[in-house]
Amino acid sequence: MATAVGRALARLEPLIVEAGTGTGKTFAYLVPALLSGRSVIISTGTRTLQDQLFRRDVPMLAKVLGLPVKVALLKGRANYLCRHRLELTLQQGSLLGGERGVAQMLERVSRWAATTPSGDLAELTDLPEQSSVWPMITSTRENCLGQECPQFSRCHVFDARRAAQAAEVVVVNHHLLLADLALKDEGFGDLLPGAEAVILDEAHQVPDIAAQFFGQVWSVRQVQILVRDVVAELAAAVVRSPAITGELSIVEARLDDLRGTFPGGAGRYEWANLPEAFLDVLPELETALGDLAKELEGLGAGAGVANCARRSQGLAASLGALGSVPDAAGLRWVEAAMNGLSLHFTPFEIADRLRGYIDARPCAWVFTSATLAIGDDFAHFASRIGLPDARTLHIDSPFDYRDQARIYLPRNMPDPQHPAFAARFIDACAPLLEASGGRAFLLYTSYRGLADGVAALKARFPEPPFPVLVQGEAPREALLTRFRELGNAVLLATGSFWEGVDVKGEALSIVAIDKLPFASPDDPLLKARLEGIRRRGGNPFSEYQLPQAVLALKQGVGRLIRDFDDFGVIVLGDPRLKTKGYGKVFLMALPPSPVITEAAAGAQFLTERLSRLRERLCES
Ligand code: SF4
């Protein structure tokens, strides 16, 4: 892998590498990247890997190689304090009096702001991610005043960008990289022009993130923040304008109409299913935002107010564009969540756009992950990122799956839709859980499945002989820490635990997956992709749904063996693996472990391995 990455870097070519767990892929791209002397961006899917690269791997390898490389960690705007907005918020203090806890938190932020050299909000460990303070003290691409800002010379956001531009290796995440490419939100568009190589680890996430950034989003929250900013900027400029107060109330009234005519609770809704009354409010809101922009423009009250005028005009224009975008290009949908409504347009295809960016300048693009291929076939991933002809490489995991693991496919499982499925799945796992004394992840493909699984486990083990943890009882990281500390827990979880989770050792000896992870066909985002494939005459199932589900299953299964000493049993409860023709596509993508169909064989394997481990521990 290192040789292939080195060649891609030398020739400025694209490369796609699937490197199985344990290959040391991080070193295999870092070493040639550091030796190349090129300026490199490394992009990751998770914050954990970003921190690991910046704090541990890159400095350590640079030292070993004797290369004094300048490294920078760059996060999105929303991670840095915006001094200007903090000042505006503090000036506006009396307006915030009603919000509980906000004043105290702002006081805390101000004290920290006076001393922090980086402005990185991660230093404020007691500021919750969902806190309403966050947008009051951070900037967006729209509301940043840039060079016109009175704080520009001491701005943390720009300081971090300058440091990144001066570095030879910049570590970012996929959101920031793609925002930069598409010039959206937190993006500046200045990261890539200076880069000679972009290495994307955890690259399986890239197509979905790209679809978000290459589409359009308009949210009620953006308008609410604009309204608050207008009030703050007028107060800061000591301007009173009854006309603007009037326009603000019209905008707020239209927002109320929008929420009032929205038909349902939290979830994603296709545009075509929205009521006329809701759609009728959109042009009215567009007009209200346009009128507000005109009034603000006419004031001539400084950079802050002028910025608000531009944003109001921009929000009117993007709302208008969303209302009139042709249905042939993508899918429009609305997301209702706790913090409001957002309107989206997702293009059917992102491959051409991504290809356009990749072709735009000479630069090596390396995509790598433990799950990119189906067997040796990279066609699905390569075509999604617009690089069907890119050089590819598959590196097998060095772990001995034949010895370290068993794949258990229980006999006589009912259809996944059968009401007894959840109980039968737990029945199939029970002898293994008893043999290993817990030490398991039970991974579900839906929240409904998870709830049924929790009930079934309780029914089978009214007084479980192992601790039981359930997703949602505590934040993800806290649950994982608890799982590692307990050493014999059983964790029941869905989606977010299928990837990026690394539990080494016997604390995780069983990974049981209830059903094949086909994405929900009701999700508008998935519908957009399937429709795109249909329109160009393709087969959505074989080109998208099946390969996506195979890659997701590989991710889930990959949680089990994380080291040379690990061992365990993978339980796959879905009978379609054997009854459907596509089942063999999944089976062929699994590690080459012996397949068993009797729980007793799995239980015996676990008992033997655990006692062998105990003997070894006693000897040492
Ligand atoms: S330049 Fe932008 S991010 Fe920096 S302090 Fe000013 S408004 Fe905030």
Side-chain angles (χ1 to χ4, degrees):
M1 179 174 173
T3 309
V5 172
R7 188 168 47 214
L9 260 61
R11 297 181 186 169
L12 301 179
E13 281 176 354
L15 172 71
I16 304 173
V17 188
E18 179 179 277
T21 321
T23 45
K25 76 172 152 41
T26 318
F27 285 14
Y29 62 72
L30 283 180
V31 170
L34 294 175
L35 289 174
S36 72
R38 294 202 182 277
S39 59
V40 183
I41 296 176
I42 299 174
S43 181
T44 71
T46 57
R47 198 176 287 178
T48 322
L49 181 57
Q50 202 182 8
D51 280 341
Q52 178 195 311
L53 287 170
F54 177 69
R55 295 186 204 294
R56 199 186 73 188
D57 297 346
V58 179
M60 188 267 278
L61 284 175
K63 194 170 160 209
V64 170
L65 295 169
L67 297 167
V69 179
K70 262 198 229 151
V71 193
L73 175 72
L74 187 61
K75 301 181 179 179
R77 266 181 190 278
N79 292 284
Y80 299 97
L81 173 75
C82 166
R83 290 183 188 275
H84 175 65
R85 295 182 61 73
L86 173 64
E87 202 172 81
L88 279 184
T89 305
L90 293 175
Q91 281 171 4
Q92 216 192 345
S94 57
L95 298 174
L96 304 166
E99 290 188 43
R100 266 181 67 213
V102 168
Q104 289 95 311
M105 187 46 87
L106 283 171
E107 225 178 271
R108 163 113 180 69
V109 174
S110 314
R111 281 200 304 275
W112 165 78
T115 55
T116 174
S118 72
D120 186 342
L121 288 159
E123 293 171 12
L124 274 176
T125 44
D126 51 350
L127 178 63
E129 271 183 38
Q130 296 307 322
S131 168
S132 58
V133 167
W134 210 273
M136 299 176 191
I137 58 168
T138 57
S139 64
T140 63
R141 189 163 170 265
E142 290 86 32
N143 67 24
C144 172
L145 303 183
Q147 297 194 6
E148 291 176 355
C149 176
Q151 306 280 359
F152 183 68
S153 59
R154 331 165 43 219
C155 171
H156 294 302
V157 175
F158 283 88
D159 278 352
R161 303 293 297 197
R162 282 188 281 264
Q165 281 169 342
E168 284 126 359
V169 176
V170 185
V171 183
V172 300
N173 63 33
H174 298 334
H175 280 91
L176 180 56
L177 180 77
L178 289 158
D180 224 72
L181 267 185
L183 262 186
K184 289 275 172 73
D185 303 329
E186 51 198 341
F188 284 66
D190 60 357
L191 264 184
L192 282 164
E196 295 166 295
V198 182
I199 298 173
L200 299 102
D201 200 342
E202 300 172 326
H204 57 282
Q205 300 178 2
V206 169
D208 283 351
I209 300 174
Q212 279 172 37
F213 284 102
F214 296 163
Q216 278 184 45
V217 187
W218 182 100
S219 72
V220 165
R221 192 154 175 75
Q222 285 171 303
V223 182
Q224 288 168 329
I225 293 175
L226 169 72
V227 169
R228 201 161 55 204
D229 287 354
V230 170
V231 174
E233 292 288 1
L234 290 181
V238 203
V239 172
R240 294 176 75 87
S241 163
I244 290 178
T245 310
E247 295 299 349
L248 285 176
S249 353
I250 296 174
V251 168
E252 286 183 313
R254 295 295 85 81
L255 283 185
D256 286 345
D257 293 345
L258 201 67
R259 285 186 290 244
T261 52
F262 192 73
R268 290 173 171 178
Y269 298 79
E270 265 188 83
W271 201 276
N273 300 334
L274 294 170
E276 289 286 317
F278 177 83
L279 297 176
D280 287 346
V281 181
L282 301 180
E284 293 173 19
L285 185 51
E286 183 189 339
T287 307
L289 286 164
D291 291 346
L292 173 64
K294 275 185 217 132
E295 288 294 342
L296 289 168
E297 262 163 26
L299 268 187
V305 175
N307 174 277
C308 288
R310 278 196 299 277
R311 278 161 63 199
S312 193
Q313 192 54 56
L315 284 168
S318 61
L319 190 56
L322 267 168
S324 58
V325 72
D327 283 332
L331 194 90
R332 289 180 291 171
W333 50 284
V334 175
E335 179 149 43
M338 283 264 288
N339 56 358
L341 289 174
S342 50
L343 281 53
H344 301 252
F345 166 73
T346 304
F348 290 138
E349 294 284 355
I350 52 117
D352 289 348
R353 274 281 287 283
L354 205 48
R355 176 69 188 241
Y357 288 116
I358 290 172
D359 285 346
R361 59 184 67 86
C363 183
W365 288 74
V366 177
F367 296 84
T368 186
S369 163
T371 48
L372 293 177
I374 317 288
D376 279 332
D377 182 2
F378 286 84
H380 172 65
F381 178 77
S383 67
R384 284 195 77 197
I385 56 164
L387 295 172
D389 310 321
R391 192 184 290 269
T392 60
L393 179 69
H394 175 105
I395 311 261
D396 272 333
S397 166
F399 300 145
D400 185 354
Y401 284 98
R402 286 185 180 80
D403 175 61
Q404 291 176 259
R406 297 289 178 268
I407 296 174
Y408 169 38
L409 306 179
R411 279 185 209 274
N412 303 324
M413 284 294 292
D415 184 83
Q417 303 304 326
H418 194 283
F421 181 85
R424 294 279 293 279
F425 178 60
I426 291 294
D427 286 345
C429 297
L432 279 69
L433 295 174
E434 284 161 351
S436 64
R439 303 185 164 85
F441 272 4
L442 305 187
L443 298 179
Y444 290 87
T445 51
S446 67
Y447 286 100
R448 172 81 200 276
L450 172 63
D452 291 348
V454 172
L457 188 76
K458 274 190 189 146
R460 173 78 197 222
F461 294 103
E463 285 176 27
F466 37 72
V468 176
L469 305 174
V470 180
Q471 178 183 346
E473 287 174 347
R476 181 176 182 271
E477 285 312 314
L479 269 183
L480 281 171
T481 307
R482 184 107 185 90
F483 184 87
R484 288 190 188 98
E485 282 168 2
L486 285 165
N488 68 335
V490 172
L491 170 73
L492 295 92
T494 66
S496 64
F497 286 81
W498 282 64
E499 61 174 285
V501 174
D502 196 16
V503 180
K504 291 192 171 83
E506 77 279 12
L508 183 57
S509 302
I510 301 169
V511 168
I513 293 175
D514 70 334
K515 298 175 190 171
L516 296 177
F518 287 110
S520 160
D522 299 329
D523 180 7
L525 270 171
L526 177 65
K527 277 192 180 172
R529 265 164 231 144
L530 302 187
E531 185 55 28
I533 296 171
R534 232 173 262 124
R535 282 173 194 227
R536 60 167 165 73
N539 177 331
F541 182 74
S542 61
E543 283 182 41
Y544 189 87
Q545 286 166 292
L546 179 59
Q548 278 295 108
V550 172
L551 292 175
L553 185 72
K554 275 175 77 173
Q555 278 286 349
V557 165
R559 298 311 102 213
L560 183 66
I561 304 295
R562 310 297 298 173
D563 213 338
F564 289 92
D565 290 336
D566 281 3
F567 58 86
V569 178
I570 296 155
V571 187
L572 301 174
D574 197 323
R576 291 174 293 179
L577 281 165
K578 285 179 284 187
T579 58
K580 297 284 182 192
Y582 57 72
K584 58 179 174 303
V585 184
F586 286 95
L587 292 174
M588 278 162 55
L590 293 174
S593 305
V595 173
I596 54 175
T597 54
E598 298 298 338
Q604 191 187 347
F605 175 79
L606 289 167
T607 312
E608 278 173 17
R609 292 300 167 113
L610 278 165
S611 62
R612 223 190 279 174
L613 179 77
R614 278 182 202 120
E615 276 166 25
R616 263 213 328 261
L617 287 174
C618 287
E619 282 166 17
S620 63

